[in-house]
Every structure is written in C-alpha cells, then in structure tokens.
Amino acid sequence: MQKRIYFCGETPNNAAADSKEAKNCLGGKGQSLAIMTNIGLPVPGFYTIQCNVCNEYFQAGNVWPAGLKEENSMSVHKLAEKMGKRFYNHEQLKQVIGADYQTISVEEFKKRAADPKVPTALLLSVRSGAVQSLPGMMDTVLNLGLNEYTVRLLAGKNPDNERYVLDSYRRFIMMFSDIVIGVDSKVFDLKLHEIKQKFGRVQDFELTADELREVVAAFLKLAEEKAGKPFPQDIDEQLYLAINAVFASWNNPRAFTYRNMNKIPHDGGTAVNICAMVFGNMNNISGSGVGFTRCPKTGVTFDYLYGEFLKNAQGEDVVAGTRTPINIFTMREDPSDNGIWKRIYSELAAVYKKLEEQYNDLVDLEFTVEDGKLYMLQARSGKRTAFAMAKLAIDFVKEGKWTKEHALLQIEPNKLNEFLFPRFDPAELKKAKPVTKGLSASPGAAVGQIVFNPDKATKLKAENNMKIILTREETSPEDIQGMAAAVGILTSCGGQTSHAAVVARQMGKTCVCGCSEIHIDEHKGTVKLPNGEILHELDWISIDGTTGNVYKGQVAQIDAEITPELQVILDWSDEIRTLKVRTNSDTKKDCAIALKYGCEGIGLTRSEHQFFEKSKIKAMRKMILAKDDAMRAKALIDLKNYQKSDFVDLFTAMDGRPVNIRLLDPPLHEFLPSGQPELIAELSKEMNISVQEIQEQIDSLHEQNPMIGFRGCRLGVVYPEINEMQIKAIFEAAIEVKKATGKVPGVEIMFPFIIAEKELKYFIDMTTRCKEIVFAELKDEVPYTCGSMVEIPRAAIVADKLAAICDYFSFGTNDLTQTTLGCSRDDSGRFMPVYLNKGLLKADPFVSLDQEGVGELVKMTIQKARSVKPNFKVGICGEQTDPVSIEFLHNVGLNYISCSPFRVMVARVSCAIAAIKAKMAK
Ligand code: PEP
Ligand code: MG
C-alpha cells in the first residue's frame, strides 16, 4: 500500500529530515516538526499527510484516495496512544465511563471522568503546510475533538480549571464553523463582544468559566442556526471535514493571490499536519509566542531573545493582532509563578541557538507553554525585509557560517528594490510632529490617503492609481489584495508578528502596527487621534515604518541611498558575475540613475523617445507631413540639432562606456496628432498646408496592424533621409564629446526590426556613407560598431548571415515575444491574466522570458551567430530581465543584459546568482 502518512519524525525513504526530499513530501511545516523532533526539541506528537495527497484528492474530484481513511484512522489512534490519551468517539467513551453522557448527570459524568484509569481526550490541531510557505494564507483548525461529551470528560479531568476547556471549545466552534462549514467568524465575534459587554469584560481571557459556558451555548446555537443543522459531534467526522477544508484552502483566493504574487506554482498542494493540541490558554503559567533568532526587520542580533508572547493565550491570539503581545525578553526578569518564566526563557534560549544552527539561517519559530512546559510548534527560515536580508548575509559570512556564494544565493534579487524606496526628508522630519507612534513593523516611508476597506483600496488603486494607506484595526489574510494595492499599512492592534506585520515585511510594504493610541472606526470611516482630532477617509497621512511615527498630511520624501550593506552585496556580485549589465536609457537623467546603480553602458537608446518631448515633436510632425523636399530638409535640420544635443548628453554621461543607439523604430502615426483639432490647426498655419490635407495625410498613415507594419528599419528604407539624419547626428555628437572631454565615446549604432541580410547591409552601407561625410567635414574620427536587433523569428533563422556582416546583436524580446507567440504586447492584458490564473502559461512572457519558445530562438540565434564569428557579442534589451530570465540568459551565453535604470542593481545581483548556480551545476 502506498504510504501517505508520516508519523512523528518519519521521512520518505528515511531521508534526512532537513533534506529537499523530506520537504517536498512533508511540506515546510511538516518538515520543521520532523526536524525538531529528530534533534530532540520538545514537539507534541503529530503526523503529516504528505503534500501529494492533496493533489490526489483534487484529481479524484475531492475524494480521498483509497487507503487514506484507514491510514488516517490508524495514525490518529497511534498518536493518542503516544500522548497517553484517547481520540474517543461516542461509543468508546460510553464504554469507558460506563454510561452515556446523556443518561447520567453532568456531575456524575465528571466524577467518573476524573478516575485516573480513564485516559483523557486527545484534541488535535489540523494545520496546513505547503512546500513553500504561504504564511497565514491557508487554513488551520485548532482544538478539534471537542464536543458535548469530550468537553465534560476534560472538565472532569480538570475540575479546578474548567475555564480553559470551555475557552478551547468556544474557539473550536467558531473556527470550525468558519473554516469548515463556511459561517463567517464575524457573527461569532459579535456575539462574543455582546456577552463580554454584558459581563463587563474587555479581554477574552477575563471571561470566567460560567461566562464562557454561556458563550459556548450561544455559539452552538448560532452555528446551528447559520448552518441549518447541529454542530457536528462525531469527532471522526470533525477530523475528516477539517482535513478536507485544509486541502481546499490550497485553492482559496488569498492563497491563489499570494502564489501569483510570489511566483509559486499552483500545482504543489498542501500537506496536512495533525498534531496533538497543547494549550497555551490552560492557565497563567501557559501561553503562546512567536520568535525570531535575529531581527527580521533589520537583521540585527540581540543579546536577548527577540519575539512576542501572550500569557494564557493560544497562538492565533498572537498573530491575529487582537491583543498586542509583550516582548519575550520580559520573561527573563519575570519573578512571578515561582520563576517558571525565567526557566522557560532559558529553555527557549537553548532552542533558539539549536534551531539557528540547524537551519543555518534566521529562524522564525512558534511555541506554546502548557502548564509551565515548553512545546515547539513550528520553525522555518524567517521571512525578512531587504535590509535584514543584506545584513544577515554579511553577518553570516563574517561569522564563518556562509560563503559569499551561499550568501548571494540567499538574496532574493527583486527584494533589493526595497532599498530604493524613498524615505522622509530629514529636514522635513525636524519640523513635522508625529501625531502618534506605533510599532515599526516594516521599514520605509509611505505617504497616502486613508482607506479602511481593502476592496476599496484595490479598486481605487486600479482605477485611479491612488496612493493608499490601508488603515485597519488589524488585518487578516483576506486583506492581501488590499495590502498589495496600498503604499503602506497602519493598524491600531497587533504586534510585530501580527498578520499585518509579517505580510507587509514580505511584500516590502511600509507598515506601522499596534498603534494603540488611535481609535480606528472602520464603520464610521474615522481615525481618532490621541489629541482628539478626527481624520476621515481619503485624508492624507504619512507613516514611517522605520520609527513607527505617524504624521498628518504629506511629509516630503527623498530618494533612497545605497547603504553600506547593500554596497557589500553589490560588490560581491560584481566580483562573481560574468554578464555585463547595461541600461535602457534615453536621457541624461536616466543615465545618472543607472550609473548610480552601477550600469556599465547603454544597451538601448530608443532614439525616437527624444522626439516625444513637447518642444521637439513639432519638428517631427513637420518632417512627416512635409509636402516637398525643401520642407522636409528644413524639418530634418531642426531634428538633427535636437538629436545631436541629446546624443552629446548621453555620450558625456556615459564617459567612454558603450552607448548603443537604435535608429527610429515606431510607426510614424505615433508622432501625429489624433483627434486634436487645435494641434492640426496650428500645424496647418505654420506649414501653410490646409487642415484637410493634413488630416488626409494622417489618415493615409493609419495602419491595421502598425506593430507589424510600417515601422523599424522599414521607415528608413522608404525615407532614408530620416535615418541618415540620425546617423550623422550620432557621429557629430561623438566627435564633439571626444573633443570636449578627451574621452572616446563607445559608439554603437543599431537597426530595429531587421529581417534580412540585404536589408541590414543597406543600413550598414548607409552608416558608412554618413560616417565618411561627417568625418571629412569635421576632420576627425571615432570608432564605432553596427548591430542588428533580433526581434522577429526570421532574424533568428538567418542569424548566421546577419552576424557575418555586423558586429553584435541585441535581442528585442518584447517584439520577439510578440512575433513568436503571435500575441500583441499591447493587447495581451485582456487574456494573459486568465491564462495565468488557469495555469495555461507559467508566467507572463512579456515579463519573464518564454524559455521554451522565445528562449529556443535566442539559443539558436547565438549558436548560428557564433558559428560564423565565435566571439560574436549578444545582449538583450527587452523587458525580460527578471532573475529567472537572467539565469537562462547567462546559461545560453549572452554577453550583457540591458534593463531600465531602476532595475540595474537587481540585475547585477541576479547575474551573480546565475553565475554561481551555473558553476554549481557543473
Ligand atoms: C524590444 O522589442 O524588445 C525592444 C527593446 O524594442 P521596443 O520595446 O522599443 O520595441
Ligand atoms: Mg522592439
């Protein structure tokens, strides 16, 4: 029989618990339980239904595979035995007690239950846990196994502490109803609130056993009313339904969104971990906490244990943000309860050390203390901010635990963008007075308008591109899309490990949480500040996730700087990478940014972009609409002057580095007015051509499919004078810069949309002619090279012929994707998201290179080109320069990548990672 369940530290094929094989089978949480068990940490008993069963279940139409029922039943009883407890069904309990619970008095039942020979009831937590962590996105059911008879049994076993049994029961009814039956937990929250008010209680833990009895009765009634049937009493059914609900949570919308955001495939499935419950809510020497071996925000190591903790609480209370937890280090000095907390603190200290050694990384851990005994519930490599990621990498290398290569492999390149977030202008901060202060949960400075509802935040961002601060009492996993749409998150409840804080850190969103001095009323749409002032929806606020300060209005921001830690990561990357990193840049402003982030030249200047500037576009329009050669010649002179001065800027900024200028590319109609009669009238006057004639010209340039029409080098075949003007401007600018600076610019001239050898030769010859004219006129020379874009499959197919007559290629993978997939880059937005949601394509090919299709053409092009010129230079200037594409491009032998200025930094690190991985693969 196929083994689907692994018990208490067992692994597939006896693989090491920390192996990839174990993780792929047991999921992250199951693996961590196995690891912790095997290294001797105190873990309650558990078993794991492996990840693949989830897929079997879906494939069979939400039916358990044959054999699972028996295996599960055997495992749960084995677990009960291990824990010295029983997973009682009604019949079994009846036998042990000697009577049905309904036929004897509650007191008599409890008396019989108290007999030490009667084993106590096992309760379970049923927890999700996929291979890649989806923190908080899937479901978990706690306290499972409670019903009308086990609750009495446990009450009999704990005559002095019936409270925790009832507290667990009310939690279970609410959680099970919400997750398994689909009754919104809010109705239970409202009822709880009502009963707390009745008894004058503020916090849940203040409720007495009798008061909780009332809560339980009310919850059972509510659950029955809402579900239309009694709350399930059969514990086997409870377990079966809970396991199914955990399977189903793999596909809930927030897990789906999270996987899309983090590029996690949708076909993995989740494992289900069934663990013996331990009770942090048992009494005052119980509690639950979450810790990190180092700070996940900054990466700093403390001389105390970092984390948060709540006494007399279950784990959900710590992360839900409903109560603001206390710092774990307060345990160290806590004299109460005969020093139990001091002992727990030192036990935890040993656990922190052992786990960090085991994981060889920052570890995020969950624990529960039940009646003075510590239990570990989970451990994983901790999610971290970019700042922490860099600092940890450097510290682990300094501590001799990681090599530089290993450290770079731990860097998520895209996350480094967080270093580029603006921060508040220190000069402004001196003047601004914070209106309140919360916990600095996720760094950065965010300025936005208050919005309370996450759906509204998503809508306002999508429709109006508004900057939003999602402002809530606390956030829950349902809010993930609203959080993604916001620039920052502000909450009034919850600690450093609350959902808002953890998810914000992972998303790289600025977050201030646990801002307890403010009162957020989401229904009224108001925020009451400590000074009594009221802010309303859409009012502006500024939040500082580094200090926790909150300001009214908009505090001015300044650009980020490269921090010393980031510089170290970049320096290591530069030592290791072999791919060069250039930038796509059209202006000196772009060049300045790209140079700041370390670009090594320009890989693409879209020369037409310079014409889109308001002052220059008129000359372009006049050139296109000119009625005769004289008019066109006059417009071309103006254009040449504009271009030349722009090229001077680029060559000067790049200071001898290569500058690859591509000749005019887009269809001409893009330059002409469309539906703007005032512009047409102005042109008509200045050019002395009738409005009608201009309109006719514009109409005649209309094309059905302009992106595969009269564009690119085709323009230069029909109107050579435009390209000649551009080439002359390039040479004149280069000579001028050479004279002015004494540095020879790296001139590269590139032709777009090439499909044929003769076509390419036509432009190379044109370049030679222009060069001769300019060099003779200016009595000076500059070296230059000529290249071809590869943007159309035909260019890839004839790559050897093209390479034979030019100096380099640059893959225009935006167009190459469009032309290879027969998929318009401008219109794919209509269907691409659906393709991605349905899993028909792995990633958007306009974002990440389609390796199977376009990638094959890239490979073929390089092979063909290097078959005629072994050292032929190839680069890429399309948008597909994400880390995954860079790895592919490194492996197929590109020389450089070129990306937008703000991506240069990430690209440098991605190139290093690609080089390390390639070396390891060898
Ligand atoms: C490309 O097609 O990939 C490219 C860089 O050119 P453009 O985006 O300007 O068409
Ligand atoms: Mg292109």
Side-chain angles (χ1 to χ4, degrees):
M1 202 176 72
Q2 191 186 335
K3 186 170 168 64
R4 294 189 171 87
I5 291 183
Y6 292 85
F7 193 82
C8 270
E10 276 180 350
T11 53
N13 304 318
N14 289 326
D18 58 3
S19 65
K20 217 172 169 179
E21 186 181 356
K23 187 167 191 182
N24 287 340
C25 171
L26 304 173
K29 196 172 285 153
Q31 182 193 34
S32 80
L33 290 168
I35 289 176
M36 291 194 294
T37 305
N38 294 349
I39 60 172
L41 295 184
V43 178
F46 70 97
Y47 62 92
T48 303
I49 304 179
Q50 63 155 302
C51 293
N52 195 32
V53 180
C54 181
N55 294 327
E56 285 185 89
Y57 170 79
F58 290 140
Q59 276 155 17
N62 298 352
V63 174
W64 281 24
L68 180 62
K69 192 161 173 266
E70 294 73 20
E71 209 181 340
N72 181 56
S73 168
M74 222 173 64
S75 305
V76 75
H77 292 298
K78 191 166 149 192
L79 178 60
E81 202 177 313
K82 181 180 162 68
M83 304 305 293
K85 299 183 179 181
R86 292 273 301 267
F87 194 59
Y88 285 114
N89 64 27
H90 192 175
E91 200 45 47
Q92 289 161 339
L93 191 67
K94 205 163 99 186
Q95 278 172 18
V96 174
I97 295 289
D100 186 344
Y101 76 100
Q102 283 159 323
T103 60
I104 54 173
S105 70
V106 175
E107 285 323 308
E108 175 60 21
F109 188 94
K110 284 190 197 166
K111 206 173 105 208
R112 294 188 193 185
D115 182 346
K117 287 205 285 305
V118 173
T120 191
L122 173 72
L123 300 188
L124 300 170
S125 70
V126 181
R127 313 176 82 194
S128 53
V131 175
Q132 277 164 293
S133 129
L134 313 178
M137 299 299 140
M138 292 187 294
D139 289 332
T140 283
V141 180
L142 303 178
N143 304 298
L144 186 139
L146 278 167
N147 56 21
E148 287 304 291
Y149 47 88
T150 50
V151 87
R152 281 173 210 190
L153 174 75
L154 287 167
K157 290 282 177 213
N158 297 276
D160 304 330
N161 188 10
E162 209 176 323
R163 192 201 168 277
Y164 102 86
V165 183
L166 293 160
D167 186 51
S168 304
Y169 197 20
R170 62 101 189 168
R171 289 169 186 268
F172 174 57
I173 300 165
M174 174 161 157
M175 205 179 231
F176 191 89
S177 300
D178 181 23
I179 286 162
V180 182
I181 307 177
V183 182
D184 192 340
S185 61
K186 285 198 187 81
V187 298
F188 295 98
D189 271 333
L190 283 175
K191 180 56 80 184
L192 183 64
H193 187 67
E194 194 186 303
I195 298 177
K196 279 198 304 202
Q197 272 195 327
K198 178 174 143 191
F199 293 114
R201 309 288 182 214
V202 179
Q203 298 284 2
D204 302 356
F205 63 81
E206 291 165 6
L207 287 164
T208 64
D210 284 338
E211 290 160 3
L212 280 165
R213 213 182 310 281
E214 190 168 327
V215 175
V216 165
F219 274 20
L220 283 171
K221 192 157 162 268
L222 205 52
E224 182 165 351
E225 267 167 29
K226 296 282 172 193
K229 54 182 178 195
F231 187 78
Q233 293 291 304
D234 180 335
I235 53 167
D236 292 313
E237 186 194 353
Q238 288 178 358
L239 180 56
Y240 170 75
L241 292 175
I243 291 172
N244 288 352
V246 171
F247 284 152
S249 72
W250 170 257
N251 279 331
N252 74 28
R254 53 178 197 261
F256 212 84
T257 308
Y258 186 90
R259 289 198 295 273
N260 279 346
M261 278 179 185
N262 293 284
K263 300 200 169 56
I264 298 173
H266 293 297
D267 55 5
T270 178
V272 186
N273 298 291
I274 291 127
C275 314
M277 271 301 291
V278 281
F279 296 92
N281 59 335
M282 186 172 267
N283 49 32
N284 281 333
I285 51 168
S286 303
S288 291
V290 176
F292 295 89
T293 55
R294 304 183 188 206
C295 176
K297 290 179 295 170
T298 59
V300 168
T301 314
F302 301 106
D303 57 4
Y304 55 83
L305 301 184
Y306 181 82
E308 292 175 329
F309 175 71
L310 275 175
K311 282 188 187 175
N312 202 346
Q314 291 200 349
E316 50 169 343
D317 304 329
V318 184
V319 291
T322 40
R323 274 163 73 187
T324 299
I326 49 174
N327 287 323
I328 287 178
F329 64 69
T330 58
M331 277 188 205
R332 187 166 57 175
E333 310 299 338
D334 189 342
S336 62
D337 302 306
N338 297 323
I340 281 175
W341 295 110
K342 285 189 185 176
R343 170 175 55 77
I344 296 288
Y345 185 87
S346 60
E347 285 174 23
L348 266 176
V351 169
Y352 271 51
K353 189 162 176 288
K354 206 161 181 178
L355 280 176
E356 188 168 287
E357 274 166 18
Q358 167 66 36
Y359 278 79
N360 194 19
D361 195 5
L362 155 74
V363 176
D364 150 358
L365 50 94
E366 278 178 31
F367 62 92
T368 279
V369 178
E370 180 190 89
D371 202 23
K373 176 161 170 35
L374 173 69
Y375 291 96
M376 297 309 300
L377 304 187
Q378 177 169 314
R380 60 186 167 198
S381 283
K383 304 271 180 224
R384 60 204 72 177
T385 65
F387 306 96
M389 185 171 74
K391 168 104 176 86
L392 286 167
I394 295 164
D395 286 354
F396 272 78
V397 170
K398 266 195 212 147
E399 291 164 26
K401 294 175 177 151
W402 292 358
T403 60
K404 272 186 204 172
E405 284 78 6
H406 181 82
L408 283 173
L409 288 176
Q410 307 314 305
I411 299 286
E412 284 176 60
N414 282 331
K415 234 178 149 33
L416 295 175
N417 284 324
E418 289 171 33
F419 278 100
L420 307 185
F421 291 167
R423 56 196 175 93
F424 288 132
D425 182 345
E428 286 274 320
L429 281 186
K430 274 194 198 138
K431 288 182 261 159
K433 201 170 162 318
V435 287
T436 186
K437 189 175 168 82
L439 299 171
S440 55
S442 181
V447 179
Q449 290 171 275
I450 296 173
V451 173
F452 300 99
N453 180 302
D455 294 335
K456 189 164 178 187
T458 311
K459 193 159 173 275
L460 290 176
K461 162 75 182 157
E463 289 173 5
N464 307 328
N465 199 22
M466 282 169 61
K467 289 187 167 170
I468 289 153
I469 304 286
L470 186 64
T471 306
R472 311 213 73 192
E473 276 185 46
E474 76 226 10
T475 68
S476 79
E478 271 86 28
D479 302 347
I480 180 162
Q481 262 169 329
M483 293 174 77
V487 291
I489 295 134
L490 173 68
T491 70
S492 55
C493 287
Q496 293 284 8
T497 48
S498 62
H499 175 266
V502 172
V503 175
R505 274 201 286 279
Q506 218 228 323
M507 282 183 176
K509 297 271 170 192
T510 296
C511 175
V512 173
C513 68
C515 220
S516 54
E517 294 174 349
I518 57 172
H519 179 71
I520 298 174
D521 189 327
E522 295 175 20
H523 299 291
K524 279 201 211 143
T526 54
V527 181
K528 189 169 176 204
L529 300 178
N531 65 5
E533 200 178 337
I534 306 282
L535 299 181
H536 296 92
E537 187 152 65
L538 301 188
D539 281 349
W540 285 89
I541 48 168
S542 304
I543 62 173
D544 189 336
T546 313
T547 60
N549 284 336
V550 178
Y551 303 87
K552 232 173 67 177
Q554 303 177 59
V555 176
Q557 293 165 302
I558 55 170
D559 285 345
E561 292 297 323
I562 293 180
T563 65
E565 285 82 11
L566 177 58
Q567 192 58 53
V568 171
I569 301 295
L570 292 171
D571 290 346
W572 288 350
S573 300
D574 291 347
E575 280 169 28
I576 289 171
R577 71 188 162 92
T578 52
L579 273 171
K580 297 249 178 259
V581 178
R582 299 197 192 180
T583 184
N584 293 353
S585 210
D586 310 320
T587 62
K588 64 178 175 193
K589 191 166 157 236
D590 283 352
C591 289
I593 297 168
L595 285 165
K596 177 167 146 191
Y597 296 125
C599 83
E600 297 168 289
I602 294 182
L604 173 67
T605 292
R606 291 176 166 99
S607 60
E608 65 273 8
H609 278 191
Q610 297 163 344
F611 298 134
F612 284 117
E613 247 178 62
K614 214 168 164 207
S615 57
K616 301 174 186 170
I617 195 160
K618 201 185 258 177
M620 189 67 179
R621 287 175 176 155
K622 286 183 179 170
M623 193 272 297
I624 297 169
L625 297 170
K627 254 200 329 200
D628 51 43
D629 289 350
M631 246 181 180
R632 174 159 298 130
K634 159 88 182 65
L636 278 168
I637 290 172
D638 289 343
L639 285 174
K640 189 166 137 216
N641 288 335
Y642 292 141
Q643 289 253 276
K644 186 178 152 192
S645 100
D646 288 327
F647 296 148
V648 165
D649 283 348
L650 297 183
F651 289 135
T652 310
M654 281 295 144
D655 197 27
R657 297 177 182 85
V659 175
N660 185 12
I661 299 171
R662 181 186 71 187
L663 301 189
L664 193 70
D665 182 32
L668 291 182
H669 75 88
E670 284 194 14
F671 296 99
L672 297 176
S674 117
Q676 293 151 297
E678 66 295 344
L679 286 180
I680 298 181
E682 196 182 311
L683 280 168
S684 156
K685 205 164 141 211
E686 286 182 24
M687 296 180 74
N688 201 15
I689 313 178
S690 74
V691 167
Q692 193 188 345
E693 270 178 290
I694 291 184
Q695 193 55 58
E696 279 168 10
Q697 269 265 53
I698 293 174
D699 293 345
S700 76
L701 284 168
H702 172 79
E703 290 182 86
Q704 293 300 340
N705 291 304
M707 290 310 277
I708 48 170
F710 186 33
R711 61 168 286 203
C713 65
R714 296 162 195 178
L715 295 167
V717 172
V718 178
Y719 301 117
E721 58 276 25
I722 304 178
N723 287 163
E724 283 165 5
M725 171 278 289
Q726 292 194 291
I727 296 167
K728 285 180 188 162
I730 294 171
F731 285 127
E732 286 179 20
I735 289 173
E736 188 173 313
V737 172
K738 180 182 153 191
K739 282 187 176 144
T741 65
K743 274 246 171 85
V744 181
V747 181
E748 298 180 346
I749 302 175
M750 181 160 73
F751 313 109
F753 236 57
I754 291 290
I755 53 171
E757 182 190 359
K758 282 192 182 156
E759 186 192 42
L760 178 59
K761 173 128 189 356
Y762 172 91
F763 287 98
I764 292 173
D765 290 347
M766 179 192 282
T767 307
T768 311
R769 279 197 312 276
C770 293
K771 163 200 85 170
E772 278 162 5
I773 295 168
V774 175
F775 289 3
E777 260 176 25
L778 299 182
K779 299 192 178 47
D780 204 347
E781 298 189 356
V782 280
Y784 70 97
T785 52
C786 285
S788 170
M789 297 268 306
V790 177
E791 298 176 279
I792 304 180
R794 194 182 195 283
I797 294 165
V798 299
D800 46 349
K801 299 199 174 94
L802 300 181
I805 59 166
C806 71
D807 304 302
Y808 64 92
F809 287 160
S810 179
F811 290 106
T813 42
N814 303 334
D815 275 311
L816 191 57
T817 300
Q818 165 165 271
T819 51
T820 303
L821 276 71
C823 170
S824 155
R825 58 199 264 195
D826 302 305
D827 301 324
S828 69
R830 295 213 186 143
F831 55 83
M832 196 56 78
V834 186
Y835 266 68
L836 297 177
N837 273 343
K838 294 196 169 171
L840 304 183
L841 284 173
K842 256 203 333 232
D844 183 339
F846 291 105
V847 175
S848 191
L849 192 74
D850 158 37
Q851 296 182 14
E852 261 180 31
V854 177
E856 277 303 304
L857 285 178
V858 169
K859 252 199 241 172
M860 183 185 85
T861 306
I862 298 175
Q863 275 158 10
K864 280 183 170 251
R866 292 195 179 145
S867 72
V868 289
K869 290 183 180 168
N871 296 320
F872 193 75
K873 189 166 75 178
V874 271
I876 179 178
C877 58
E879 291 300 304
Q880 294 83 344
T881 48
D882 59 300
V884 179
S885 305
I886 287 182
E887 194 178 332
F888 175 87
L889 295 167
H890 173 95
N891 291 336
V892 297
L894 242 72
N895 298 95
Y896 70 85
I897 64 135
S898 185
C899 55
S900 58
F902 281 107
R903 286 172 118 173
V904 165
M905 195 179 79
V906 168
R908 282 162 72 190
V909 181
S910 305
C911 291
I913 292 174
I916 296 166
K917 285 191 179 168
K919 212 164 148 195
M920 281 166 59
K922 271 191 201 152

